[in-house]
């Protein structure tokens, strides 16, 4: 469901069963680790479970006012000789429709083969040989990043995404060198439906099998830059470090939205057009965000628009807080009175 109170705090629980027939299971401690250990707290656990008995572990999740997906691992320490430490994975999501539909922090440890989607929509990815997680972060001081070379990439099945006509890609990148065409983000199979490329250091837009346009501004090898591309059928815009450097009206309409053989990839298109360098904090939105929103992402490398914009649980353009306290409309129903006009539109027109 959607959480309308921020910060949302929720209790969770799971059972631990002692399958033994003779000895009690003695639990000495439960340590919290994983990606977001600061969001999960053990509230209570049984110190001893009789043979054949069941005990309950209680924990508390606190998003600390942020939206997205959160995960942790509880390491249960006990007197079980065969497995003195047992790991239980837990997760929680707080969905703000102002936030991204996919968010790859790339904070996984070195050697990891999977990439967590921190948006809360569970569009998780996998790394392909040549992509190395656990590199020093380039977007802010926290977390880690992914280094790619030689066709290494992260990929996510396109079938996990709902169709979208407009979108925004936001990412931090640090190229090792500028020569040639390198892939930052691509969507499609074989020849991608669309891609954000680096062409001899310029940011280039690739669509429907053709390289369409590129920026006059060129990146610097070995230097970190924030790159954002916003696309709608009416406008294409490219931003570097928060500043718009390319604007095009009525860009080519993307002919395909991907199929079940397609992937969203970071770092290469298949094994071709590989990027060489570091990628960090990649966000994908299902709308073309504003120039001010791009500036917000640039100035707050570890934040999403779901963190800084009010929670809008039904996507009607009104914050949940205003719907409940001011307009007396349903924060989880975009058209409270069912007249075919959304709550936000009615408020703007003064007809609610």
């Amino acid at each position: 469901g959607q959480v309308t109170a921020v910060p949302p705090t929720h209790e969770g629980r799971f059972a631990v069963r002692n399958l033994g027939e003779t000895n009690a299971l003695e639990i000495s401690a439960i340590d919290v680790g994983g990606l977001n250990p600061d969001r999960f707290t053990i509230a209570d656990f049984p110190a001893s479970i009789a043979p054949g008995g069941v005990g309950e572990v209680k924990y508390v999740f606190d998003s600390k006012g942020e939206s997205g997906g959160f995960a942790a691992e509880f390491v249960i320490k006990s007197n079980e000789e065969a497995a003195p430490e047992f790991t239980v994975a837990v997760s929680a999501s707080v969905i703000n429709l102002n936030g991204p539909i996919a968010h790859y922090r790339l904070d996984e440890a070195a050697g990891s083969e999977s990439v967590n989607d921190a948006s809360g929509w569970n569009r998780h990815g996998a790394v392909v040989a040549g992509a190395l997680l656990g590199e020093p972060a380039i977007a802010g001081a926290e977390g880690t990043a992914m280094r790619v070379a030689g066709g290494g990439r992260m990929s996510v099945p396109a079938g996990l995404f709902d169709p979208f006509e407009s979108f925004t890609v936001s990412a931090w990148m640090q190229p090792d060198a500028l020569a040639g065409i390198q892939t930052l983000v691509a969507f499609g199979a074989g020849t991608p439906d669309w891609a954000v490329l680096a062409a001899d250091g310029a940011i280039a837009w690739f669509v429907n099998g053709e390289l369409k346009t590129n920026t006059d501004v060129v990146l610097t090898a070995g230097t970190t830059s924030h790159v954002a591309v916003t696309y709608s059928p009416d406008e294409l815009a490219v931003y570097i470090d928060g500043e718009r450097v390319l604007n095009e009206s009525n860009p080519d309409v993307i002919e395909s939205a991907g199929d079940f053989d397609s992937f969203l990839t970071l770092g290469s298109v298949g094994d071709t057009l590989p990027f060489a360098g570091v990628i960090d904090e990649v966000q994908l939105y299902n709308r073309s965000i504003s120039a001010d929103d791009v500036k917000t992402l640039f100035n707050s490398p570890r934040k999403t628009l779901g963190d800084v914009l009010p929670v809008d649980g039904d996507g009607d353009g009104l914050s949940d807080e205003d719907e409940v306290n001011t307009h007396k409309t349903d924060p989880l129903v975009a058209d409270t009175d069912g007249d075919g006009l959304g709550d936000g539109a009615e408020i703007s027109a003064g007809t609610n």
Side-chain angles (χ1 to χ4, degrees):
Q2 290 153 350
V3 178
T4 59
V6 179
T9 302
H10 300 282
E11 293 184 354
R13 61 191 66 198
F14 59 89
V16 177
R17 184 182 300 274
N18 182 359
L19 299 178
E21 299 178 353
T22 305
N23 299 322
L25 179 67
E26 308 290 343
I27 299 178
S28 58
I30 301 180
D31 294 340
V32 183
L35 288 174
N36 309 112
D38 60 324
R39 309 306 170 97
F40 297 83
T41 304
I42 298 295
D44 189 30
F45 66 87
S48 180
I49 303 175
V54 177
E56 188 175 69
V57 176
K58 298 178 181 179
Y59 64 92
V60 176
F61 163 72
D62 186 349
S63 77
K64 300 186 177 180
E66 294 185 354
S67 63
F70 306 88
E73 294 180 346
F74 296 156
V75 181
I76 301 174
K77 299 183 177 182
S78 72
N79 64 337
E80 169 60 47
E81 293 183 359
E85 294 188 358
F86 182 80
T87 300
V88 175
V90 295
S91 62
S93 296
V94 179
I95 301 299
N96 181 349
L97 296 184
N98 281 318
I101 61 171
H103 180 196
Y104 304 105
R105 290 193 179 278
L106 303 173
D107 281 350
E108 288 73 17
S112 297
E113 297 181 353
S114 60
V115 175
N116 184 63
D117 171 17
S119 72
W121 291 104
N122 296 324
R123 294 173 171 122
H124 307 302
V127 295
V128 179
L132 302 176
L133 294 164
E135 293 290 305
I138 61 172
E142 299 179 14
T144 58
M146 178 177 71
R147 171 170 287 280
V148 293
R153 60 194 179 277
M154 187 210 81
S155 66
V156 185
L160 296 177
F161 294 90
D162 296 325
F164 47 84
E165 293 184 353
S166 302
F167 58 88
T168 297
V169 175
S170 167
W172 293 80
M173 59 184 296
Q174 185 184 98
D176 292 339
L178 304 181
I181 299 178
Q182 305 181 58
T183 304
L184 179 57
V185 183
F187 191 90
T191 300
D193 302 335
W194 58 264
V196 180
L197 309 174
D200 294 325
I203 299 301
W205 172 245
F206 179 96
V207 63
N208 302 331
E210 296 183 43
L211 189 62
K212 288 294 183 179
T213 187
N214 56 268
T215 63
D216 293 328
V217 178
V218 177
L219 305 178
T220 302
T223 298
T224 299
S225 296
H226 177 254
V227 174
V229 175
T230 65
Y231 171 87
S232 74
D234 299 322
E235 184 180 48
L236 168 74
V238 178
Y239 300 80
I240 297 178
D241 292 339
E243 300 297 327
R244 183 157 48 194
V245 295
L246 186 149
N247 195 76
E248 179 180 306
S249 299
N250 302 313
D252 285 10
V253 175
I254 298 173
E255 295 176 354
S256 172
D259 54 40
F260 287 100
D261 294 325
S262 300
F263 290 88
L264 173 76
T265 59
L266 310 179
S268 71
V269 178
D271 295 324
T272 64
L273 305 181
F275 179 77
V278 181
I279 301 174
D280 202 359
E281 284 290 331
V282 180
Q283 300 183 35
L284 179 66
Y285 291 82
N286 61 352
R287 66 187 187 276
S288 175
I289 68 175
S290 69
D292 287 342
D293 287 342
V294 172
K295 183 79 75 172
T296 295
L297 296 179
F298 168 64
N299 289 327
S300 305
R302 297 278 297 181
K303 295 289 187 179
T304 74
L305 297 181
D307 297 328
V308 300
L309 297 179
V311 174
D312 178 4
D314 54 13
D316 61 3
L318 302 173
S319 72
D320 290 2
E321 182 178 4
D322 285 347
E323 290 211 62
V324 172
N325 297 326
T326 302
H327 307 303
K328 309 304 180 184
T329 51
D330 191 328
L332 296 181
V333 177
D335 181 8
T336 299
D337 56 14
D339 64 354
L341 191 63
D343 295 342
E346 288 196 42
I347 297 297
S348 296
T351 59
N352 63 307

